[in-house]
Amino acid sequence: MRVTLRYFASVREALGRGSEQRETAASTLRALREELVALGEPYAQALAPQRAVRMALDQVMAADDAPLREGCEVAFFPPVTGG
């Protein structure tokens, strides 16, 4: 399926792009993240499992077991703090 990926803050800086469209065989957010990490650098470092990265599905925060669908938008970003 084809999905739109959006990257924010330090994830965007590490990948050198703010967005891309990609074909994926992943069925969940977790599987998509694992698929991207398997591509190697710079994805492997930016989205590594031990890194704190939040995910949103169609602009709503989502757990990593959330199912993907054709044409969905997935956003990756670091956790933020406010003051």
Side-chain angles (χ1 to χ4, degrees), residues 11 33 47 51-56 61-62 75-80:
V11 177
R33 184 174 177 178
L47 299 173
R51 291 197 56 153
V53 175
R54 305 287 307 266
M55 294 177 283
M61 295 300 299
F76 294 95
F77 50 94
V80 295

Side-chain angles (χ1 to χ4, degrees), residues 3-76:
V3 297
T4 298
L5 306 177
R6 300 208 184 276
Y7 309 111
F8 296 93
S10 61
V11 177
R12 179 183 61 225
E13 292 169 13
L15 296 178
R17 68 185 65 134
S19 66
E20 65 180 309
Q21 291 196 342
R22 183 171 288 277
E23 290 290 329
T24 182
S27 60
T28 65
L29 285 175
R30 178 186 308 113
L32 175 61
R33 184 174 177 178
E34 291 169 352
E35 187 178 275
L36 292 170
V37 166
L39 294 174
E41 296 304 331
Y43 297 96
Q45 182 177 349
L47 299 173
Q50 67 273 17
R51 291 197 56 153
V53 175
R54 305 287 307 266
M55 294 177 283
L57 182 60
D58 292 327
Q59 301 182 5
V60 176
M61 295 300 299
D64 60 358
D65 62 349
L68 301 178
R69 63 172 180 71
E70 177 70 34
C72 66
E73 177 187 271
V74 177
F76 294 95

